[in-house]
Amino acid sequence: MTGNGNLLTRRLDVLRGIDRPTFDVLLADPAWHDGLGATDAASLVDLLAQVASEASDAALALASRLGDLIATVPDPNGLRKWALHGLQRHQHHPKARLRYFERDDPRPFADQESDADSADLLARRAALQAYLGGFGVVTHGIELHEPQATGQPPPAPALADDVIRFPRRCAVTSTQADRAALYRASIAHIAAHLRHSPLARLAGSRRPMLLATIALIEDARVERLMLRDYPGLRSLWGVFHTATRETAGFDYAGLAARLARALHDPAYVDSNAWVQKGRALFEDAAATDLQDVAAFEAVGRQLAIDVEKMRLPLLPSYRPQPPYRDDNALLWNMNAALPLDDEATAPREDYEFRSRDQLPADLSNVDVDTRRRTRHPEWDHRLDALREDWTTVIESGPAAYRGAVNRFAQKPVRRVRGLEQTPDRSIRLNRLAEGDELDLTAAVDGAIQQRSRLAPDGRIFRRHGRRHRATAVVLLMDLSVSTRRFVPGSFTTVLEAEKRAARVVAQALDSGRDRVAVHGFSSNGRHEVNYQRIKDFDEPFGAEQQSRLAALQGSLSTRMGAALRHASAALVGQTVDHKVILMLTDGEPSDVDVVEDEHLVEDARHAVASAAAQGIRTFCLTLDRQADAYVRRIFGSRNYLIADRADALAGHTGDALVRLVAH
Amino acid sequence: MNPSLQPYLIEREPYYRAAGNEVALFAAAFARGLPMMLKGPTGCGKTRFIEHMAWRLKRPLITLACNEDMAASDLVGRYLLDVQGTVWHDGPLTTAVRHGAICYLDEVVEARQDTTVVIHPLTDERRMLPLDKRGELVKAHPDFRLVVSYNPGYQSVAKDMKPSTRQRFGAIDFDFPAPALETEVVAHESGVNPALALQLVKIAEQSRALRGRGLDEGISTRMLVHAGALIAEGIGVHDACALAMTTPITDDRDLLVALAGFVEAQFGPRR
């Protein structure tokens, strides 16, 4: 058997350890991995194990239809995206989650084209948001629609209360420039609605055909109004008005597209009587008053009656044309509004009705969890994508640690020295013996003294001063269960060594200039990454903080990436020249709900890279002698140090700090 | 008037289109001898306004652009050497005080706070300037006026005026003029027709909506005038807007795309 085959066996063993029933189902029908390479098969088993660690019923459902799924979606990454989407979206709704894994269609997630289109839109999002802001609309964000089943036509852009949703697949598939123009056209059109349309009119009992026709006229009206202020939009929108008698046809959608073009483009000639009538009625109303909504509604009504006389049906696939126009749902208040996606209709399972005897007898004894929760993303290196809001960091409030005894002996405090300074033009040093430029006043004084035959003072130069650069350091302590171990060859536990190092750092830096925080973390699956602020930036390293430090206990596991992201978030708000995260750990990242070898290492690497992008340096000190392999990957080749003795850790930490701060 | 101030007199009327009653307000404060502070975003016409007022009131105008390295002696003057020995040279402020001119300190918050303190004795009832190095007390000429300007938008917290300095001034708040006025200004200054000037103003309005959302300042009237002048000389509108308006204002790719979109919303896609 090859090495990769061994890999599959190993992964299957892991799965058996987590969830025996799923494993049995998988083995009962071994046909599922026939067409797959061993690596792909192993990654699917990993996926099953991941699902199983969160919801075993869902894993069972997934395993039992795995063969079918692979037949429809040959791309394991598509399947992976689909499964992770389900886990994340329905994390609080077990029933909906099970339903998702039993029935939902993963094909949209394997659609490469819409993937590329979505990525393209997201890359343009900031620019489009600024473009939207230029029209005075600052209340709406830009998002993507939920994935759509393949085969259906892509939805139109949609406007909700505070968000504009674009389809995942772009209607114009040719060049980049066209695509950007389509997005801009959409946004300008939606901005026109927001400026000029009365929103959420009561639809009442109006038929869909009538609503669609009134909306068509309304689209043309608001665009006409918008053109008064922004005449260049005419040619931007004009590019997409391509309907003709030959291309658009004679059904309702075709006629509507031709009317839209006729209302947009005065030069367009159409022989159809309905289109001509629509144009004439519209221009009549426009000549009187473009702001008169009722008059235009009458035009739409008239045209709708004519269409119905022609017995043209409104097909369910109808979308307002051209494709930049939104679905006009914003114009109507349907009372029971049609859902945009099933999120809105998903049963609310947050609330559960319990029978009376299950209620706790005395509600005053129920603890309310007030701990602060923050969501962070996690990097999935197989998908090359961030899983948004995947982990939850829970911060415990300042608990009372007063019982703990401060067992640190008071040693002389070591100060970090040799820190470089940075030039600062606002500090000016005058009358120097040497410097960058002449101090004019001193030079004149010197010359005067010389002429009056006094010994001149030679200090006639000046230069800018320098100041210390301020640094903010977060010392991040690994508080996982493994820190209870003794460091090999000593009688000190890893945690004790970490505490000593923390104390050195907290006391070493000048509190007048630099800011130090000591934080610790331990994790229990992705929903519970515990984060403790032993000493925060604004606190002194006083008796309370010292006893908090002394009271720390090692427990649970090490989800490094989430902790690094949380520490970065704490540092981002600091206004200092240097921002540093100093990580103290004793081993590889790991967590109870992750079975893949590389996942957390790659995630931590991504967290380090994102911190660097925000101007935060990370450095790792580890007591694991075998740490080379993963520490270098996570932190980079020069940003780690392996301490092999417990008593050396504190010293190394101080040195590392000097190196980091002096750079 | 002292002949040394002759070069500082403004001979031809600088164009200024009043947006409100600022001309009357300034003239009244001027008659009262009150030091004035002109606030407003960059390129909205503060400097043009003071030039216009100097011309209108027939007073010489001594302008000084303030910077961080400016010392008090750069304002009041210093001893220099010549063949005979030392000579005192009046600084621009002292010149204005002695002979009666308007001293205009542009971007006054750029100067360090301890520098600007030298204007304190000039700006209260005393109206005098002590020259300690020279042992001289210069009584201000009755025609001397002090005017400062600054942009409250982008100064950092560290760069601000001391309250003791602020409270000596009267102030007029400037902003970009209303669209119709701004169109008039752009058309007059650049020579483009009013319809095109209005389109330029619309682009600027859209960019000003992004103030604080990525842009520190929107496109200013001055930039519009530059763009308009380029168009009047025969440069294409898209090129002129890119050169004079959108490209200088930001380095952010996404914002540049949005700004190009605003140009497109007026003049259509670039051919």
Side-chain angles (χ1 to χ4, degrees), chain A residues 108 199 251:
Chain A
L199 300 182
D251 58 348

Side-chain angles (χ1 to χ4, degrees), chain B residues 48-108:
Chain B
R48 180 59 70 84
F49 172 72
I50 184 66
E51 285 178 351
H52 177 82
M53 293 309 296
W55 171 83
R56 181 179 278 250
L57 300 163
K58 312 252 176 314
R59 291 281 166 28
L61 176 69
I62 298 179
T63 304
L64 202 67
C66 298
N67 63 64
E68 203 174 70
D69 267 353
M70 209 170 67
S73 57
D74 295 322
L75 280 174
V76 298
R78 53 164 60 90
Y79 276 109
L80 292 176
L81 293 173
D82 67 2
V83 200
Q84 276 79 40
T86 58
V87 255
W88 172 260
H89 274 245
D90 277 347
L93 180 64
T94 314
T95 310
V97 171
R98 215 186 277 281
H99 306 300
I102 302 172
C103 182
Y104 176 53
L105 304 179
D106 202 0
E107 297 296 349
V108 70

Side-chain angles (χ1 to χ4, degrees), chain A residues 202-234:
Chain A
L202 278 178
S205 57
R206 289 173 189 150
R207 289 175 308 281
M209 174 72 83
L210 178 57
L211 294 181
T213 315
I214 294 177
L216 170 67
I217 297 297
E218 176 69 7
D219 279 342
R221 184 185 76 88
V222 295
E223 286 189 5
R224 203 57 81 81
L225 279 168
M226 196 72 166
L227 288 178
R228 287 180 177 176
D229 284 342
Y230 306 102
L233 294 177
R234 179 181 293 281

